[in-house]
Amino acid sequence: MRRLAAPEPAEAPGKSRELLEDIVARRGGVGDMVATMAHSPALLQGYLELSRAMKRTKLPRALSEKVSLAVQEWIGCASCLQAHTEAARAAGLSETDVALARQGTSTDAREAALIAMAVRILAEPSAIGDDDVAELRAHGWSDRIIAELPGLVALNQLTGTFNLLAGLEPVVAEA
């Protein structure tokens, strides 16, 4: 059930209105989540900046989607799962890859270690220790990727929890 309605762009607070107008000018429209985030200029700006920044990570797109699927499965955001499943397919992932990612793993041991760490960052960050980071390094992950992983997890936590709080539901495709 929808709990927060998206404000009309003209009714959005000043900075949100500017951000929405910019997005509409560049892309022709905004999605439901972004439109609803417009209630808070700080949230909307922060989300847009973090989202842009995380697109510049060194993680391959397909692996980024696997991480997002694992995190969103844990959070339970159906809208995000739908969006990341579509993005994963567009990135060339198979149905098996998607299913395994939603279970927090992969057929590739190196990827499985990173995906599992992403879920731990979300679920039990205080339990992460030196051995865990050493294990990621042993799988060949660079300190840059290890450092970027919490950012990707945070972005997914932000979108998933926002959608759940706002009551945003997955878009149902028309037949």
Coordinates of all heavy atoms in Angstrom, one line a residue, residues 69-165:
L69 N 21.2 -7.6 -6.4 CA 20.1 -8.6 -6.2 C 20.2 -9.3 -4.8 O 19.2 -9.5 -4.1 CB 20.2 -9.7 -7.3 CG 19.7 -9.2 -8.6 CD1 20.2 -10.2 -9.7 CD2 18.2 -9.2 -8.6
A70 N 21.5 -9.6 -4.4 CA 21.7 -10.3 -3.1 C 21.2 -9.4 -2.0 O 20.5 -9.8 -1.0 CB 23.1 -10.7 -2.9
V71 N 21.6 -8.1 -2.0 CA 21.2 -7.1 -1.0 C 19.7 -6.9 -1.0 O 19.1 -6.9 0.1 CB 22.0 -5.8 -1.2 CG1 21.5 -4.7 -0.2 CG2 23.5 -6.1 -0.9
Q72 N 19.1 -6.7 -2.1 CA 17.7 -6.5 -2.2 C 16.9 -7.7 -1.8 O 15.8 -7.5 -1.2 CB 17.3 -6.0 -3.6 CG 17.8 -4.6 -3.9 CD 17.4 -3.5 -3.0 OE1 16.4 -3.6 -2.2 NE2 18.1 -2.4 -3.0
E73 N 17.3 -8.8 -2.0 CA 16.6 -10.0 -1.6 C 16.6 -10.0 0.0 O 15.6 -10.3 0.6 CB 17.3 -11.3 -2.1 CG 16.7 -12.6 -1.7 CD 15.4 -12.9 -2.4 OE1 15.1 -12.4 -3.5 OE2 14.5 -13.6 -1.8
W74 N 17.7 -9.7 0.6 CA 17.8 -9.6 2.0 C 16.9 -8.5 2.6 O 16.2 -8.8 3.6 CB 19.3 -9.4 2.5 CG 19.5 -9.8 3.9 CD1 19.9 -11.0 4.4 CD2 19.4 -8.9 5.0 NE1 20.0 -10.9 5.7 CE2 19.7 -9.7 6.2 CE3 19.0 -7.6 5.2 CZ2 19.7 -9.2 7.4 CZ3 19.0 -7.1 6.5 CH2 19.3 -7.9 7.6
I75 N 16.9 -7.4 1.9 CA 16.0 -6.3 2.4 C 14.5 -6.6 2.2 O 13.7 -6.2 3.0 CB 16.4 -4.9 1.7 CG1 17.8 -4.5 2.1 CG2 15.4 -3.8 1.9 CD1 18.4 -3.4 1.3
G76 N 14.3 -7.2 1.0 CA 12.9 -7.6 0.7 C 12.1 -6.6 -0.1 O 10.9 -6.5 0.0
C77 N 12.8 -5.8 -0.9 CA 12.1 -4.7 -1.7 C 11.8 -5.3 -3.1 O 12.7 -5.5 -3.9 CB 13.0 -3.5 -1.9 SG 12.3 -2.3 -2.9
A78 N 10.5 -5.6 -3.3 CA 10.1 -6.2 -4.5 C 10.3 -5.3 -5.7 O 10.7 -5.7 -6.8 CB 8.6 -6.6 -4.4
S79 N 10.2 -4.0 -5.5 CA 10.4 -3.0 -6.6 C 11.9 -3.1 -7.0 O 12.2 -3.1 -8.2 CB 10.0 -1.6 -6.2 OG 8.7 -1.5 -6.0
C80 N 12.8 -3.1 -6.1 CA 14.2 -3.1 -6.4 C 14.6 -4.4 -7.0 O 15.4 -4.5 -7.9 CB 15.0 -2.8 -5.1 SG 14.8 -1.2 -4.5
L81 N 14.0 -5.5 -6.5 CA 14.3 -6.8 -7.1 C 13.9 -6.9 -8.5 O 14.6 -7.4 -9.4 CB 13.6 -7.9 -6.3 CG 14.3 -8.3 -5.0 CD1 13.5 -9.3 -4.2 CD2 15.7 -9.0 -5.3
Q82 N 12.7 -6.3 -8.8 CA 12.2 -6.3 -10.2 C 13.2 -5.5 -11.1 O 13.6 -5.9 -12.1 CB 10.8 -5.7 -10.3 CG 10.3 -5.6 -11.7 CD 9.0 -4.9 -11.7 OE1 8.8 -3.7 -11.3 NE2 8.0 -5.6 -12.3
A83 N 13.6 -4.3 -10.6 CA 14.5 -3.4 -11.4 C 15.8 -4.1 -11.6 O 16.4 -4.0 -12.7 CB 14.6 -2.1 -10.7
H84 N 16.4 -4.7 -10.5 CA 17.7 -5.3 -10.7 C 17.7 -6.6 -11.4 O 18.7 -6.9 -12.1 CB 18.4 -5.4 -9.3 CG 18.8 -4.1 -8.8 ND1 19.9 -3.4 -9.3 CD2 18.3 -3.4 -7.7 CE1 20.0 -2.3 -8.6 NE2 19.1 -2.2 -7.7
T85 N 16.6 -7.3 -11.4 CA 16.5 -8.5 -12.3 C 16.5 -8.1 -13.7 O 17.2 -8.7 -14.6 CB 15.2 -9.3 -11.9 OG1 15.3 -9.7 -10.5 CG2 15.0 -10.5 -12.8
E86 N 15.7 -7.0 -14.1 CA 15.7 -6.5 -15.5 C 17.1 -6.0 -15.9 O 17.6 -6.3 -17.0 CB 14.7 -5.4 -15.6 CG 13.2 -5.9 -15.5 CD 12.2 -4.8 -15.4 OE1 12.5 -3.6 -15.6 OE2 11.0 -5.2 -15.1
A87 N 17.8 -5.3 -15.0 CA 19.1 -4.8 -15.3 C 20.1 -6.0 -15.4 O 21.0 -5.9 -16.3 CB 19.6 -3.8 -14.2
A88 N 20.0 -7.0 -14.6 CA 20.8 -8.1 -14.7 C 20.7 -8.9 -16.0 O 21.7 -9.2 -16.6 CB 20.6 -9.1 -13.5
R89 N 19.5 -9.0 -16.4 CA 19.2 -9.7 -17.7 C 19.8 -8.8 -18.9 O 20.4 -9.4 -19.8 CB 17.7 -9.9 -17.9 CG 17.1 -10.9 -17.1 CD 15.6 -11.1 -17.3 NE 15.1 -12.1 -16.4 CZ 13.9 -11.9 -15.7 NH1 13.2 -10.8 -15.9 NH2 13.5 -12.9 -14.9
A90 N 19.6 -7.5 -18.7 CA 20.2 -6.6 -19.8 C 21.7 -6.7 -19.8 O 22.3 -6.4 -20.8 CB 19.7 -5.2 -19.5
A91 N 22.3 -7.0 -18.6 CA 23.8 -7.1 -18.5 C 24.3 -8.5 -19.0 O 25.5 -8.8 -18.9 CB 24.2 -6.8 -17.1
G92 N 23.3 -9.3 -19.4 CA 23.7 -10.6 -19.9 C 23.7 -11.8 -18.9 O 24.2 -12.9 -19.2
L93 N 23.1 -11.6 -17.7 CA 23.1 -12.7 -16.8 C 21.9 -13.6 -17.1 O 20.9 -13.2 -17.5 CB 22.9 -12.1 -15.3 CG 24.0 -11.2 -14.8 CD1 23.6 -10.7 -13.4 CD2 25.3 -12.0 -14.7
S94 N 22.2 -14.9 -16.8 CA 21.2 -15.9 -17.1 C 20.2 -16.0 -15.9 O 20.5 -15.4 -14.8 CB 21.9 -17.3 -17.2 OG 22.4 -17.7 -16.0
E95 N 19.2 -16.7 -16.1 CA 18.2 -16.9 -15.0 C 18.9 -17.6 -13.8 O 18.6 -17.3 -12.6 CB 17.0 -17.7 -15.5 CG 16.1 -17.0 -16.5 CD 15.7 -15.6 -16.0 OE1 15.2 -15.5 -14.9 OE2 15.8 -14.6 -16.8
T96 N 19.8 -18.5 -14.1 CA 20.5 -19.2 -13.0 C 21.4 -18.2 -12.2 O 21.4 -18.2 -11.0 CB 21.4 -20.3 -13.6 OG1 20.6 -21.3 -14.2 CG2 22.2 -21.0 -12.5
D97 N 22.1 -17.3 -13.0 CA 22.9 -16.3 -12.3 C 22.0 -15.4 -11.4 O 22.4 -15.1 -10.3 CB 23.6 -15.4 -13.4 CG 24.6 -16.0 -14.2 OD1 25.3 -17.0 -13.7 OD2 24.8 -15.6 -15.4
V98 N 20.9 -15.0 -11.9 CA 19.9 -14.2 -11.1 C 19.5 -14.9 -9.9 O 19.5 -14.4 -8.8 CB 18.7 -13.7 -12.0 CG1 17.7 -13.1 -11.1 CG2 19.2 -12.8 -13.1
A99 N 19.1 -16.2 -10.0 CA 18.6 -17.0 -8.9 C 19.7 -17.1 -7.8 O 19.5 -17.0 -6.6 CB 18.1 -18.3 -9.4
L100 N 20.9 -17.4 -8.3 CA 22.0 -17.6 -7.3 C 22.4 -16.3 -6.6 O 22.6 -16.3 -5.4 CB 23.3 -18.2 -8.0 CG 23.2 -19.6 -8.5 CD1 24.4 -20.0 -9.3 CD2 23.1 -20.6 -7.2
A101 N 22.4 -15.2 -7.4 CA 22.6 -13.9 -6.8 C 21.6 -13.6 -5.7 O 22.0 -13.1 -4.6 CB 22.7 -12.8 -7.8
R102 N 20.4 -13.9 -5.9 CA 19.3 -13.6 -5.0 C 19.5 -14.5 -3.7 O 19.1 -14.2 -2.6 CB 17.9 -13.9 -5.5 CG 17.5 -12.8 -6.5 CD 16.2 -12.9 -7.1 NE 15.2 -12.8 -6.0 CZ 13.9 -12.7 -6.2 NH1 13.4 -12.7 -7.5 NH2 13.1 -12.6 -5.2
Q103 N 20.3 -15.6 -3.9 CA 20.6 -16.5 -2.7 C 21.9 -16.0 -2.1 O 22.4 -16.7 -1.1 CB 20.7 -17.9 -3.2 CG 19.4 -18.5 -3.6 CD 19.6 -19.9 -4.3 OE1 20.5 -20.6 -4.0 NE2 18.7 -20.2 -5.2
G104 N 22.5 -15.0 -2.6 CA 23.8 -14.5 -2.1 C 25.0 -15.2 -2.5 O 26.0 -15.2 -1.8
T105 N 25.0 -15.8 -3.7 CA 26.1 -16.6 -4.1 C 26.3 -16.5 -5.7 O 25.5 -15.8 -6.3 CB 26.1 -18.0 -3.6 OG1 27.3 -18.6 -3.8 CG2 25.0 -18.8 -4.3
S106 N 27.2 -17.3 -6.2 CA 27.5 -17.3 -7.6 C 28.2 -18.7 -7.9 O 28.8 -19.2 -6.9 CB 28.4 -16.2 -8.0 OG 28.9 -16.3 -9.3
T107 N 28.2 -19.1 -9.1 CA 29.0 -20.3 -9.5 C 30.5 -20.0 -9.5 O 31.3 -20.9 -9.4 CB 28.6 -20.8 -10.9 OG1 28.8 -19.8 -11.8 CG2 27.1 -21.3 -10.9
D108 N 30.8 -18.8 -9.6 CA 32.2 -18.3 -9.5 C 32.6 -18.1 -8.1 O 32.0 -17.2 -7.4 CB 32.4 -17.1 -10.4 CG 33.8 -16.5 -10.4 OD1 34.2 -15.8 -9.5 OD2 34.5 -16.8 -11.4
A109 N 33.6 -18.8 -7.6 CA 34.0 -18.6 -6.1 C 34.5 -17.2 -5.8 O 34.2 -16.7 -4.7 CB 35.1 -19.6 -5.8
R110 N 35.1 -16.6 -6.7 CA 35.6 -15.2 -6.5 C 34.4 -14.3 -6.3 O 34.4 -13.4 -5.4 CB 36.5 -14.8 -7.7 CG 37.1 -13.5 -7.6 CD 38.2 -13.3 -8.7 NE 38.9 -12.0 -8.5 CZ 38.6 -10.9 -9.2 NH1 37.7 -10.9 -10.2 NH2 39.3 -9.8 -9.0
E111 N 33.5 -14.4 -7.2 CA 32.3 -13.5 -7.2 C 31.5 -13.9 -5.9 O 30.9 -13.0 -5.2 CB 31.4 -13.7 -8.4 CG 31.9 -13.1 -9.6 CD 31.0 -13.2 -10.8 OE1 29.9 -13.8 -10.7 OE2 31.3 -12.7 -11.9
A112 N 31.4 -15.2 -5.6 CA 30.6 -15.6 -4.4 C 31.1 -15.0 -3.2 O 30.4 -14.6 -2.3 CB 30.6 -17.1 -4.3
A113 N 32.5 -14.9 -3.0 CA 33.1 -14.3 -1.9 C 32.7 -12.8 -1.7 O 32.3 -12.3 -0.6 CB 34.6 -14.4 -1.9
L114 N 32.7 -12.1 -2.9 CA 32.3 -10.6 -2.8 C 30.8 -10.4 -2.5 O 30.5 -9.6 -1.7 CB 32.7 -10.0 -4.2 CG 32.7 -8.5 -4.1 CD1 33.9 -7.9 -3.3 CD2 32.8 -7.9 -5.5
I115 N 30.0 -11.3 -3.2 CA 28.5 -11.1 -2.9 C 28.2 -11.5 -1.5 O 27.4 -10.7 -0.8 CB 27.8 -12.1 -3.9 CG1 28.0 -11.6 -5.3 CG2 26.3 -12.1 -3.5 CD1 27.5 -12.6 -6.4
A116 N 28.8 -12.5 -0.9 CA 28.6 -12.9 0.5 C 29.0 -11.7 1.4 O 28.4 -11.4 2.4 CB 29.3 -14.2 0.8
M117 N 30.2 -11.1 1.1 CA 30.6 -10.0 1.9 C 29.6 -8.8 1.8 O 29.4 -8.1 2.8 CB 32.0 -9.5 1.5 CG 32.5 -8.3 2.3 SD 32.6 -8.6 4.0 CE 34.0 -9.7 4.1
A118 N 29.0 -8.6 0.7 CA 28.1 -7.5 0.6 C 26.9 -7.7 1.5 O 26.4 -6.8 2.2 CB 27.6 -7.4 -0.9
V119 N 26.4 -9.0 1.6 CA 25.3 -9.3 2.5 C 25.7 -9.1 3.9 O 25.0 -8.6 4.7 CB 24.8 -10.7 2.2 CG1 23.7 -11.1 3.2 CG2 24.2 -10.8 0.8
R120 N 27.0 -9.5 4.2 CA 27.5 -9.3 5.6 C 27.6 -7.8 6.0 O 27.3 -7.4 7.1 CB 28.8 -10.0 5.8 CG 28.6 -11.5 5.8 CD 29.8 -12.3 6.3 NE 30.2 -11.9 7.6 CZ 31.4 -12.0 8.1 NH1 32.4 -12.5 7.3 NH2 31.7 -11.7 9.3
I121 N 28.0 -7.0 5.0 CA 28.1 -5.6 5.2 C 26.7 -5.0 5.6 O 26.6 -4.2 6.5 CB 28.7 -4.8 4.0 CG1 30.2 -5.2 3.8 CG2 28.4 -3.3 4.1 CD1 30.7 -4.7 2.5
L122 N 25.7 -5.5 5.0 CA 24.3 -5.1 5.3 C 23.9 -5.7 6.6 O 23.4 -5.0 7.5 CB 23.4 -5.5 4.2 CG 21.9 -5.2 4.4 CD1 21.7 -3.7 4.3 CD2 21.1 -5.9 3.3
A123 N 24.0 -7.0 6.8 CA 23.4 -7.7 7.9 C 24.2 -7.7 9.2 O 23.6 -7.7 10.3 CB 23.1 -9.1 7.5
E124 N 25.5 -7.8 9.1 CA 26.3 -7.9 10.3 C 27.7 -7.2 10.2 O 28.7 -7.9 10.3 CB 26.5 -9.4 10.7 CG 27.0 -10.2 9.6 CD 27.2 -11.7 10.0 OE1 26.9 -12.1 11.1 OE2 27.6 -12.5 9.1
P125 N 27.7 -5.9 9.9 CA 29.0 -5.2 9.7 C 29.9 -5.3 10.9 O 31.1 -5.4 10.6 CB 28.5 -3.8 9.4 CG 27.2 -3.6 10.0 CD 26.5 -5.0 9.9
S126 N 29.5 -5.4 12.1 CA 30.4 -5.4 13.2 C 31.1 -6.7 13.3 O 32.1 -6.8 14.1 CB 29.6 -5.1 14.5 OG 28.7 -6.1 14.8
A127 N 30.6 -7.7 12.6 CA 31.3 -9.0 12.7 C 32.4 -9.2 11.7 O 33.1 -10.2 11.7 CB 30.3 -10.1 12.5
I128 N 32.6 -8.2 10.8 CA 33.6 -8.3 9.8 C 35.0 -8.0 10.4 O 35.2 -7.0 11.1 CB 33.3 -7.3 8.6 CG1 32.0 -7.7 7.9 CG2 34.5 -7.3 7.6 CD1 31.5 -6.6 7.0
G129 N 36.0 -8.9 10.1 CA 37.3 -8.7 10.7 C 38.4 -8.8 9.7 O 38.2 -8.9 8.5
D130 N 39.6 -8.8 10.2 CA 40.8 -8.9 9.3 C 40.8 -10.1 8.4 O 41.2 -10.0 7.2 CB 42.1 -8.9 10.2 CG 42.3 -7.7 11.0 OD1 41.6 -6.6 10.7 OD2 43.1 -7.7 11.9
D131 N 40.4 -11.2 8.9 CA 40.4 -12.5 8.1 C 39.4 -12.3 6.9 O 39.7 -12.9 5.8 CB 40.0 -13.7 8.9 CG 41.1 -14.1 9.9 OD1 42.2 -13.6 9.8 OD2 40.8 -14.8 10.9
D132 N 38.3 -11.6 7.1 CA 37.3 -11.5 6.0 C 37.9 -10.6 4.9 O 37.7 -11.0 3.7 CB 36.1 -10.8 6.6 CG 35.4 -11.7 7.7 OD1 35.1 -12.9 7.4 OD2 35.2 -11.1 8.8
V133 N 38.6 -9.6 5.2 CA 39.2 -8.7 4.2 C 40.3 -9.5 3.5 O 40.5 -9.4 2.3 CB 39.7 -7.4 4.8 CG1 40.5 -6.6 3.8 CG2 38.5 -6.6 5.3
A134 N 41.1 -10.2 4.3 CA 42.2 -11.0 3.8 C 41.6 -12.1 2.8 O 42.3 -12.3 1.7 CB 43.0 -11.7 4.9
E135 N 40.5 -12.6 3.1 CA 39.9 -13.6 2.2 C 39.5 -13.0 0.9 O 39.7 -13.5 -0.2 CB 38.6 -14.2 2.8 CG 38.0 -15.3 1.9 CD 36.7 -15.9 2.5 OE1 36.5 -15.7 3.7 OE2 36.0 -16.4 1.7
L136 N 38.9 -11.7 0.9 CA 38.6 -11.1 -0.3 C 39.9 -10.8 -1.2 O 39.9 -11.0 -2.4 CB 37.9 -9.7 -0.1 CG 36.5 -9.8 0.5 CD1 35.9 -8.5 0.8 CD2 35.6 -10.6 -0.6
R137 N 40.9 -10.4 -0.5 CA 42.2 -10.1 -1.2 C 42.7 -11.5 -1.8 O 43.3 -11.5 -2.9 CB 43.2 -9.5 -0.3 CG 43.0 -8.1 0.1 CD 44.1 -7.5 0.9 NE 43.8 -6.1 1.3 CZ 43.9 -5.7 2.5 NH1 44.2 -6.5 3.5 NH2 43.6 -4.4 2.7
A138 N 42.6 -12.6 -1.1 CA 43.0 -13.9 -1.6 C 42.3 -14.3 -2.8 O 42.8 -15.0 -3.6 CB 42.9 -14.9 -0.5
H139 N 41.0 -13.8 -2.9 CA 40.3 -14.1 -4.1 C 40.6 -13.1 -5.3 O 40.0 -13.2 -6.3 CB 38.8 -14.0 -3.8 CG 38.2 -15.2 -3.2 ND1 38.0 -16.4 -3.9 CD2 37.9 -15.5 -1.9 CE1 37.5 -17.3 -3.1 NE2 37.4 -16.8 -1.9
G140 N 41.6 -12.2 -5.0 CA 42.0 -11.3 -6.1 C 41.3 -9.9 -6.1 O 41.5 -9.2 -7.0
W141 N 40.5 -9.6 -5.1 CA 39.8 -8.3 -5.1 C 40.8 -7.3 -4.6 O 41.4 -7.4 -3.6 CB 38.6 -8.4 -4.2 CG 37.5 -9.3 -4.8 CD1 37.1 -10.5 -4.3 CD2 36.8 -9.2 -6.1 NE1 36.2 -11.1 -5.2 CE2 36.0 -10.3 -6.2 CE3 36.9 -8.2 -7.0 CZ2 35.2 -10.4 -7.3 CZ3 36.0 -8.3 -8.1 CH2 35.2 -9.4 -8.3
S142 N 40.8 -6.1 -5.3 CA 41.7 -5.0 -4.9 C 41.1 -4.2 -3.7 O 39.9 -4.3 -3.4 CB 41.8 -4.1 -6.1 OG 40.6 -3.4 -6.4
D143 N 41.9 -3.5 -3.1 CA 41.4 -2.6 -2.0 C 40.4 -1.6 -2.5 O 39.5 -1.2 -1.8 CB 42.6 -1.9 -1.3 CG 43.4 -2.8 -0.4 OD1 43.1 -4.0 -0.3 OD2 44.4 -2.3 0.2
R144 N 40.5 -1.2 -3.8 CA 39.5 -0.3 -4.3 C 38.2 -0.9 -4.4 O 37.2 -0.3 -4.0 CB 40.0 0.2 -5.7 CG 38.9 1.1 -6.4 CD 39.4 1.7 -7.6 NE 38.4 2.6 -8.2 CZ 38.5 3.3 -9.2 NH1 39.7 3.4 -9.9 NH2 37.5 4.1 -9.7
I145 N 38.1 -2.1 -4.9 CA 36.8 -2.8 -5.0 C 36.3 -3.1 -3.6 O 35.1 -2.9 -3.3 CB 36.9 -4.2 -5.7 CG1 37.3 -3.9 -7.2 CG2 35.6 -5.0 -5.6 CD1 36.2 -3.3 -8.0
I146 N 37.1 -3.5 -2.7 CA 36.7 -3.7 -1.3 C 36.2 -2.5 -0.7 O 35.1 -2.5 0.0 CB 37.9 -4.3 -0.4 CG1 38.2 -5.7 -1.0 CG2 37.5 -4.4 1.0 CD1 39.6 -6.3 -0.4
A147 N 36.8 -1.3 -0.9 CA 36.4 0.0 -0.4 C 35.1 0.4 -1.0 O 34.2 1.1 -0.4 CB 37.5 1.0 -0.6
E148 N 34.8 0.1 -2.3 CA 33.6 0.5 -3.0 C 32.4 -0.3 -2.6 O 31.3 0.1 -2.7 CB 33.8 0.4 -4.5 CG 34.8 1.5 -5.0 CD 35.1 1.4 -6.5 OE1 34.9 0.3 -7.1 OE2 35.6 2.4 -7.0
L149 N 32.6 -1.5 -2.2 CA 31.5 -2.4 -1.8 C 30.5 -1.8 -0.8 O 29.3 -1.9 -1.1 CB 32.0 -3.8 -1.4 CG 31.0 -4.9 -1.3 CD1 30.4 -5.2 -2.7 CD2 31.7 -6.2 -0.8
P150 N 30.9 -1.2 0.3 CA 29.9 -0.7 1.2 C 29.1 0.5 0.5 O 28.0 0.6 0.9 CB 30.8 -0.1 2.3 CG 32.0 -0.9 2.3 CD 32.3 -1.2 0.8
G151 N 29.7 1.2 -0.4 CA 28.9 2.2 -1.1 C 27.8 1.6 -1.9 O 26.7 2.1 -1.9
L152 N 28.1 0.5 -2.6 CA 27.0 -0.2 -3.4 C 26.0 -0.7 -2.5 O 24.8 -0.6 -2.8 CB 27.7 -1.3 -4.3 CG 26.7 -2.0 -5.2 CD1 26.0 -1.1 -6.1 CD2 27.5 -3.1 -6.0
V153 N 26.4 -1.3 -1.4 CA 25.4 -1.8 -0.4 C 24.6 -0.7 0.2 O 23.4 -0.8 0.3 CB 26.2 -2.6 0.8 CG1 25.2 -2.9 1.9 CG2 26.8 -3.8 0.2
A154 N 25.2 0.4 0.5 CA 24.5 1.6 1.1 C 23.5 2.1 0.1 O 22.3 2.5 0.4 CB 25.5 2.7 1.5
L155 N 23.8 2.2 -1.2 CA 22.9 2.7 -2.2 C 21.7 1.8 -2.3 O 20.6 2.2 -2.4 CB 23.6 2.8 -3.6 CG 22.8 3.2 -4.8 CD1 22.2 4.6 -4.5 CD2 23.6 3.1 -6.1
N156 N 21.9 0.5 -2.3 CA 20.8 -0.5 -2.3 C 20.0 -0.4 -1.1 O 18.8 -0.6 -1.1 CB 21.4 -1.9 -2.6 CG 21.6 -2.2 -4.0 OD1 20.6 -2.5 -4.7 ND2 22.8 -2.1 -4.5
Q157 N 20.6 -0.2 0.1 CA 19.9 -0.1 1.3 C 19.0 1.1 1.3 O 17.8 1.1 1.7 CB 20.8 -0.1 2.5 CG 20.0 -0.1 3.8 CD 20.9 -0.2 5.1 OE1 22.0 0.2 5.0 NE2 20.3 -0.7 6.1
L158 N 19.5 2.2 0.8 CA 18.8 3.5 0.7 C 17.5 3.3 -0.2 O 16.4 3.6 0.2 CB 19.7 4.6 0.1 CG 18.9 5.9 -0.2 CD1 18.3 6.5 1.0 CD2 19.9 6.9 -0.8
T159 N 17.7 2.7 -1.4 CA 16.6 2.6 -2.3 C 15.6 1.6 -1.8 O 14.4 1.8 -1.8 CB 17.1 2.2 -3.7 OG1 17.8 1.0 -3.7 CG2 17.9 3.3 -4.3
G160 N 16.1 0.4 -1.3 CA 15.2 -0.6 -0.8 C 14.3 -0.1 0.4 O 13.1 -0.3 0.4
T161 N 15.0 0.4 1.3 CA 14.3 0.9 2.5 C 13.4 2.0 2.2 O 12.3 2.1 2.8 CB 15.2 1.2 3.7 OG1 16.2 2.2 3.3 CG2 15.9 -0.1 4.2
F162 N 13.8 2.9 1.3 CA 12.9 4.0 1.0 C 11.6 3.5 0.3 O 10.5 3.9 0.6 CB 13.6 5.0 0.0 CG 12.7 6.2 -0.3 CD1 12.5 7.3 0.5 CD2 11.9 6.1 -1.5 CE1 11.6 8.3 0.2 CE2 11.0 7.2 -1.8 CZ 10.9 8.2 -1.0
N163 N 11.8 2.6 -0.7 CA 10.6 2.0 -1.3 C 9.7 1.3 -0.4 O 8.4 1.5 -0.5 CB 11.0 1.1 -2.5 CG 11.6 1.8 -3.7 OD1 11.4 3.0 -3.9 ND2 12.4 1.1 -4.5
L164 N 10.2 0.6 0.6 CA 9.4 -0.1 1.5 C 8.7 0.9 2.4 O 7.5 0.7 2.7 CB 10.3 -1.1 2.4 CG 10.8 -2.3 1.6 CD1 11.8 -3.0 2.4 CD2 9.7 -3.2 1.2
L165 N 9.4 1.9 2.9 CA 8.7 2.9 3.8 C 7.6 3.7 3.0 O 6.5 3.9 3.5 CB 9.8 3.9 4.2 CG 9.2 5.2 5.0 CD1 8.7 4.7 6.4 CD2 10.3 6.2 5.1

